[in-house]
Amino acid sequence: MAGEHIARLHRYYVEGKLKILVGAGISMAADFPSWDGLNLALLRASLDKDPPERLDPLDPSDHRAQSEHRLSQLVDSLYGALGREAAADFVWQNEDPGRGGDFFRLFAKALYGGRSIPDLPIPDVTCQLAAMAARAGVYTTNYDPLLELGMARLYEVGAPHKHWQKFRGGPESVSGPRVRHVHGWVDPDGHWGGTFVLAESHYIALQTTTGAAPNRDLSEILDGEGAVLIVGMSLSDPNLRRLLYQRGLSPFAIAPTYAIIKKTDHEKTDEYRQSYWRLRKTTIISIDTHESLLPVLRDIQFGASTRDERPIWLPAASAAVRDHDPFSNDWQRAAWGTLRGLRDLITKKGRHPTSEVVQLSLFRVIGDASEIQRIGSTRPQTASTGVEAAEQATRRRLSVRIGQEQGVAGNSFAKGLKQESFTPQGLNLRFTDQMVQDWETDFESLVAVPIHAAVLHGGERAWLPVGVVVATSSIKTADRTRDGRSAPSGPCWHESAEVLALLRGLGERLLLGNS
């Protein structure tokens, strides 16, 4: 059933009749706070300006710890007493920007945690959404510029952090891909714009002011021609729920609305949720994990391949690396040295720097074939020649056909998602007996990190996997304590955003020549 919905959405996309509404779940991939986390941090930032109790200045012992503890207690208590939206309202009233208050500086502090624009990572899913903006209108209830950064990464040469502002949509009609911020926007320096919607009073005002800009924007999305796709939202936004309810009552609302939402832990709950939203003329497309949104969006853009076929987008991905020859002597020497240098660096950053054995490999897509091939590795004691590397690459290939992906690396490439394996069965997924014999298996765990590139396809930009960096480790898995939390164990990359970013950066440099 989900396949039928994705096929319909693909047709709407191709016809230029798809609108996408993006929620906070997308930003959480870049370590932005959850909705509760944002409001708690905002409340804390406001109360911190006037601490709950003054400590004795003649007794300086542990003042900071005591103050922090008392402030935390007050924040938790007041948040529970007021509720989430009312807590934001409390800060809005205390820091009213209309009376010269400091609300937006405090909000930026709570939202960005001290990060500036160049500090923000650009998740692959935001680049995928940016790639769809050429045909589909992109709207968001988020306050951050991640979608603009994704567009800048696709369309601009050089650092996207210098060009993102040109992709922020305003009230005027401008050609080209733009992001419309339905609830306003706030930058790290506290600069803001649009109609800001956050607090309870803002939502109450929207109920009585039908002509307000956020209502007009959402009505334009929901009542226009074509289909609506909602991503990164739990459908809990009160204004969106109100408009979907009203739309459900209207006999004239014919445009289909879809929402991609993660499954719950209970199948019957998912069935009831489907039934509930069907009454609001909204179809739920369930995914197993939040990360699964990325390949679903890619299928909506390109169309989904059937089982045993190669991904439809594979020829376009191969074009991105076609001009980079990995089988020259110079490239092999440079790649071998770079891979070995990073291997040693990330091993030192791990929990077992003296005993962990780490090896790195680099794969890339092959022309019009349905495979990826290994073009570099840290295993040889010296750098391979170009001829030797080409011969090895013919023997180290992995299928990426739909439903036939081989190994963790093949699966990671086909989905465009980071994949880990800590089980013997997962390490050699769909390997033939001969492959198990031929490939090195002297490791206990593995991570595959896909490398994406901006690709020009049919006159439009796309964000596609072009290769995979693989790290193997002699450490089997992270131990678990009795309360279920990770003990200080596991391979060097496990739960380390820094190491994963280093692996991704290395792949981009070697495959694409990026600095």
Side-chain angles (χ1 to χ4, degrees):
M1 182 63 72
E4 296 177 8
H5 298 317
I6 291 172
R8 291 194 193 100
L9 285 166
H10 172 64
R11 289 195 294 270
Y12 279 111
Y13 172 79
V14 170
E15 294 169 0
K17 297 179 179 179
L18 179 65
K19 287 163 286 187
I20 305 174
L21 178 61
V22 181
I26 301 300
S27 297
M28 289 177 68
D31 296 323
F32 278 87
S34 65
W35 193 240
D36 278 309
L38 173 62
N39 283 284
L40 278 166
L42 180 61
L43 184 59
R44 183 184 184 86
S46 179
L47 294 175
D48 194 32
K49 296 176 64 177
D50 184 21
E53 296 180 37
R54 299 292 181 186
L55 297 174
D56 184 356
L58 299 179
D59 181 15
S61 61
D62 206 19
H63 279 188
R64 180 174 297 178
Q66 291 181 58
S67 295
E68 285 293 320
H69 178 66
R70 293 176 184 179
L71 178 60
S72 296
Q73 285 184 319
L74 178 59
V75 169
D76 291 341
S77 176
L78 185 57
Y79 194 73
L82 293 176
R84 184 171 64 187
E85 278 73 24
D89 232 356
F90 173 85
V91 180
W92 180 265
Q93 292 169 7
N94 283 355
E95 306 287 346
D96 187 351
R99 298 198 301 268
D102 210 16
F103 178 85
F104 286 107
R105 186 187 68 81
L106 296 178
F107 182 80
K109 178 181 177 182
L111 180 63
Y112 293 97
R115 295 184 295 179
S116 63
I117 293 292
D119 298 325
L120 300 179
I122 308 175
D124 289 321
V125 69
T126 62
C127 293
Q128 173 59 44
L129 287 164
M132 301 173 75
R135 286 181 181 265
V138 176
Y139 302 75
T140 183
T141 55
N142 299 341
Y143 311 102
D144 61 71
L146 281 186
L147 290 167
E148 291 96 318
L149 284 166
M151 291 181 183
R153 189 169 186 182
L154 280 174
Y155 288 94
E156 293 294 334
V157 176
H161 302 94
K162 296 180 180 178
H163 305 286
W164 61 273
Q165 286 184 314
K166 66 171 64 176
F167 298 101
R168 175 176 284 166
E172 71 282 354
S173 177
V174 181
S175 60
R178 294 291 185 276
V179 181
R180 181 81 65 84
H181 286 263
V182 178
H183 287 173
W185 47 264
V186 181
D187 292 336
D189 59 2
H191 187 52
W192 67 282
T195 303
F196 187 73
V197 179
L198 170 74
E200 188 175 54
S201 58
H202 300 154
Y203 281 103
I204 292 172
L206 290 177
Q207 294 180 28
T208 58
T209 313
T210 57
N215 287 333
R216 293 200 308 271
D217 285 341
L218 287 174
S219 295
E220 176 185 322
I221 298 169
L222 297 172
D223 297 336
E225 183 183 7
V228 179
L229 176 63
I230 302 173
V231 299
M233 300 183 75
S234 62
L235 300 181
S236 61
D237 181 89
N239 199 42
L240 177 62
R241 293 173 73 95
R242 176 177 62 84
L243 293 173
L244 286 173
Y245 171 76
Q246 293 174 346
R247 184 173 178 270
L249 298 176
S250 170
F252 304 107
I254 57 174
T257 298
Y258 297 87
I260 302 177
I261 298 179
K262 181 181 177 295
K263 294 177 182 177
T264 68
D265 295 329
H266 198 290
E267 183 177 350
K268 203 64 180 177
T269 300
D270 292 328
E271 292 180 13
Y272 284 134
R273 182 172 64 182
Q274 290 269 9
S275 299
Y276 175 84
W277 284 107
R278 198 173 294 120
L279 296 175
R280 305 295 189 265
K281 297 183 179 178
T282 300
T283 299
I284 302 297
I285 299 175
S286 298
I287 54 178
D288 294 326
T289 65
H290 293 298
E291 293 77 15
S292 300
L293 174 62
L294 177 61
V296 171
L297 289 173
R298 191 181 298 119
D299 284 346
I300 291 172
Q301 181 181 14
F302 282 88
S305 302
T306 58
R307 186 176 177 84
D308 297 332
E309 288 185 347
R310 71 182 184 187
I312 292 173
W313 46 265
L314 203 62
S318 68
V321 294
R322 185 176 298 149
D323 296 334
H324 300 275
D325 179 17
F327 300 124
S328 68
N329 293 340
D330 289 342
W331 191 94
Q332 284 295 321
R333 277 195 299 270
W336 181 81
T338 303
L339 286 165
R340 283 214 157 195
L342 183 60
R343 178 197 65 180
D344 296 341
L345 174 63
I346 65 175
T347 303
K348 291 177 182 177
K349 291 180 176 292
R351 303 176 182 94
H352 308 276
T354 59
S355 60
E356 184 176 15
V357 178
V358 176
Q359 300 289 358
L360 303 184
S361 299
L362 179 64
F363 292 76
R364 79 162 193 175
V365 61
I366 313 171
D368 292 333
S370 302
E371 298 169 313
I372 55 174
Q373 63 182 176
R374 195 177 75 182
I375 59 173
S377 172
T378 57
R379 286 183 174 274
Q381 293 304 307
T382 60
S384 300
T385 66
V387 172
E388 290 170 341
E391 292 175 350
Q392 293 163 9
T394 62
R395 300 193 302 270
R396 297 291 187 268
R397 297 183 177 216
L398 298 172
S399 171
V400 293
R401 290 184 179 274
I402 303 301
Q404 300 298 324
E405 301 90 349
Q406 290 178 320
V408 180
N411 203 34
S412 172
F413 176 87
K415 292 181 171 59
L417 301 175
K418 182 202 78 175
Q419 303 265 308
E420 288 183 276
S421 180
F422 299 103
T423 64
Q425 294 78 14
L427 295 174
N428 300 324
L429 177 70
R430 299 193 184 92
F431 271 29
T432 64
D433 292 340
Q434 187 62 49
M435 290 175 69
V436 173
Q437 293 179 23
D438 291 345
W439 286 64
E440 303 89 351
T441 56
D442 55 342
F443 51 84
E444 296 291 344
S445 57
L446 178 152
V447 66
V449 181
I451 308 304
H452 289 76
V455 177
L456 190 62
H457 174 68
E460 297 180 9
R461 293 285 180 175
W463 186 250
L464 297 175
V466 294
V468 182
V469 174
V470 173
T472 64
S473 172
S474 58
I475 304 297
K476 185 173 183 179
T477 184
D479 296 330
R480 297 286 171 178
T481 59
R482 289 184 179 180
D483 61 4
R485 292 180 296 180
S486 295
S489 184
C492 59
W493 67 78
H494 190 55
E495 298 179 351
S496 174
E498 179 188 5
V499 170
L500 294 174
L502 288 170
L503 292 170
R504 186 177 294 108
L506 171 118
E508 291 176 353
R509 289 195 302 275
L510 293 179
L511 288 180
L512 305 170
N514 295 352
S515 59

